[in-house]
Amino acid sequence: MKITGMTTYKVPPRWLFLKVETDEGITGWGEPIVEGRADTVRTAVEEFKDYLIGKDPMKIEDHWQVMYRGGFYRGGPEIMSAISGIDQALWDIKGKYYNAPIYDLLGGACRDKLKVYRWVGGDRPDDVKKSALEALSQGYSAVKLNATEEMHYIDSFIKIDEACNRIAAIRDSVGYKLDIAVDFHGRVHKPMAKSLAKELDKFNLMFIEEPVLSQNNEALREIANHTSAPIATGERMFSRWEFKNLLQDGYVDIIQPDLSHAGGISECKKIAAMAEAYDVAVAPHCPLGPIALSACVQLDICTPNVFIQEQSLGIHYNKGADLLDYLADASVFKYNDGYIEILSKPGLGIEINEEAVIEAAARGHNWKNPVWRNYDGTVAEW
């Protein structure tokens, strides 16, 4: 079997899909995307295309090694995201060839169902109580929200008080029927992150996420002294080599590799195995589309230290299209009491509605994340 074609589709709300074709009629789908850098990643995929056309799609590990090591300069979000989407598509082909879900090719299922959580509150968190009650009525048992809007290196305690009031509103309305995760989103700098983590500790959170940017992971040592909540990070880390020091330092409790950014299924399986050796849990990052989510689910099903999965249904980023819009059968992601049932179909376990993809790609998108500024005009982290 040989790879004969690779086609990318830039589809709303902010995604890039990849279709890989073979001379035996088996096709695979991947989602190579950096949010806000779709055209850059598309170009990287095109650069790898020259190497991959005519190659055997079954040699996934060898292709991964060539794509990663074949250039003198390597890594980074755009290159690793291109590799990620290609890797997902090759695994999809391999699963379809063997008529097996990908998790069966990676050791088999080690769970019966997979817990998921829902986003509430938006980018500038608002009316979280209403959203949390809605999530509870939909059967979810866990939610996540952004902690704050923009925050300066040293900022007003009012913003910390507002964050606590939002969490209190959820706790007062639903008690412990919902697990709550709070995402600092890397928009909180170390001096304020310590204070915010300390004040949120009384709410017994499921985890706090990215309390500082991953470039500043050395600060996790100090933040861990101010909270008992599990600390999660990793969505902006792109290979096992970047996770190595984080795990060795011992201040992270949950890692969140993104299967569309951190090397795909192949690399994230290795990252998860590394984390297991350090007694660290995994909660893959995935505010993306159905291909990325199905890749995550395939990994989750065969990975024992995964405990929950992010998914984007109804997320505030999804304008003009949503998670299920590109699936021929949306019922594969039917959520029962906050869980996804085990996917059983071959490959990624989903069927892409190619007509919908082609139609949406004709509209395309030019999504960029907003540029925020602090009260004094300095650029803020988004």
Side-chain angles (χ1 to χ4, degrees):
M1 184 163 49
K2 304 295 182 185
I3 297 171
T4 57
M6 296 172 61
T7 308
T8 53
Y9 301 93
K10 193 165 69 166
V11 299
R14 56 179 191 160
W15 304 330
L16 183 69
F17 293 169
L18 167 67
K19 178 184 178 184
V20 176
E21 299 173 273
T22 70
D23 59 358
E24 293 191 14
I26 302 174
T27 60
W29 289 86
E31 195 166 331
I33 182 62
V34 172
E35 302 91 296
R37 295 285 186 268
D39 290 323
T40 310
V41 179
R42 170 183 267 174
T43 299
V45 171
E46 288 294 319
E47 290 179 342
F48 288 129
K49 181 178 178 179
D50 290 340
Y51 162 74
L52 289 165
I53 295 295
K55 297 293 194 303
D56 181 356
M58 308 291 273
K59 299 176 66 175
I60 299 173
E61 181 65 27
D62 188 65
H63 297 326
W64 197 100
Q65 294 290 332
V66 170
M67 288 187 290
Y68 182 79
R69 300 179 189 275
F72 184 77
Y73 300 100
R74 60 188 63 166
E78 290 84 7
I79 296 299
M80 294 305 293
S81 295
I83 293 174
S84 297
I86 293 167
D87 181 84
Q88 293 166 7
L90 297 183
W91 276 109
D92 193 26
I93 290 169
K94 193 160 196 170
K96 291 172 179 174
Y97 178 85
Y98 285 112
N99 195 33
I102 292 167
Y103 62 78
D104 268 350
L105 305 181
L106 295 173
C110 64
R111 67 180 72 245
D112 299 320
K113 56 184 179 179
L114 173 65
K115 188 174 181 177
V116 296
Y117 64 81
R118 199 196 106 165
W119 270 87
V120 297
D123 215 10
R124 295 180 180 272
D126 180 55
D127 205 5
V128 295
K129 176 182 175 180
K130 178 182 177 182
S131 297
L133 287 169
E134 181 182 55
L136 186 64
S137 71
Q138 292 171 339
Y140 290 93
S141 59
V143 295
K144 187 172 81 174
L145 68 152
N146 283 316
T148 71
E149 51 189 20
E150 65 271 14
M151 190 174 281
H152 217 319
Y153 282 84
I154 303 295
D155 212 320
S156 170
F157 190 83
I158 291 173
K159 292 185 178 180
I160 291 177
D161 192 47
E162 289 173 344
C164 290
N165 289 339
R166 283 189 286 270
I167 306 303
I170 298 176
R171 279 282 182 249
D172 290 344
S173 59
V174 304
Y176 287 92
K177 294 178 182 177
L178 284 175
D179 293 324
I180 304 171
V182 176
D183 189 357
F184 289 33
H185 213 256
R187 61 179 64 150
V188 186
H189 298 277
K190 182 179 74 169
M192 300 304 293
K194 292 187 295 182
S195 181
L196 181 56
K198 179 180 178 181
E199 294 300 320
L200 290 175
D201 203 42
K202 58 181 173 284
F203 296 110
N204 299 312
L205 300 174
M206 180 167 63
F207 57 82
I208 60 172
E209 178 174 336
E210 217 176 24
V212 292
L213 289 169
S214 55
Q215 294 96 320
N216 301 324
N217 277 339
E218 68 280 356
L220 297 181
R221 176 199 302 263
E222 198 168 349
I223 292 168
N225 291 328
H226 291 80
T227 182
S228 62
I231 294 174
T233 195
E235 69 184 66
R236 287 184 266 195
M237 301 172 68
F238 308 113
S239 73
R240 76 196 89 149
W241 294 278
E242 294 188 27
F243 280 92
K244 179 173 64 173
N245 289 337
L246 175 70
L247 293 167
Q248 287 177 346
D249 289 344
Y251 296 103
V252 68
D253 303 293
I254 303 160
I255 60 165
Q256 299 170 297
D258 189 310
L259 272 73
S260 280
H261 301 336
I265 294 169
S266 297
E267 183 71 352
C268 289
K269 181 64 172 171
K270 295 170 184 176
I271 293 168
M274 288 171 59
E276 185 181 5
Y278 286 91
D279 206 21
V280 168
V282 180
H285 180 254
C286 191
L288 297 171
I291 302 170
L293 179 58
S294 59
C296 288
V297 172
Q298 293 295 328
L299 176 70
D300 298 340
I301 290 171
C302 62
T303 304
N305 52 330
V306 167
F307 81 101
I308 200 165
Q309 177 60 56
E310 180 176 25
Q311 52 85 39
S312 72
L313 188 62
I315 200 171
H316 48 285
Y317 301 124
N318 292 355
K319 308 296 184 184
D322 212 330
L323 175 68
L324 306 179
D325 292 351
Y326 299 108
L327 296 176
D329 178 11
S331 69
V332 294
F333 288 136
K334 183 179 180 182
Y335 303 137
N336 297 310
D337 296 326
Y339 289 84
I340 294 177
E341 299 299 322
I342 298 297
L343 301 179
S344 59
K345 294 181 180 178
L348 287 170
I350 59 173
E351 182 182 350
I352 294 296
N353 182 340
E354 193 166 351
E355 289 184 5
V357 169
I358 293 170
E359 180 182 345
R363 301 194 307 272
H365 68 83
N366 190 32
W367 188 91
K368 305 294 181 188
N369 64 253
V371 176
W372 286 1
R373 292 186 180 271
N374 293 307
Y375 55 81
D376 60 359
T378 56
V379 174
E381 298 289 349
W382 170 70

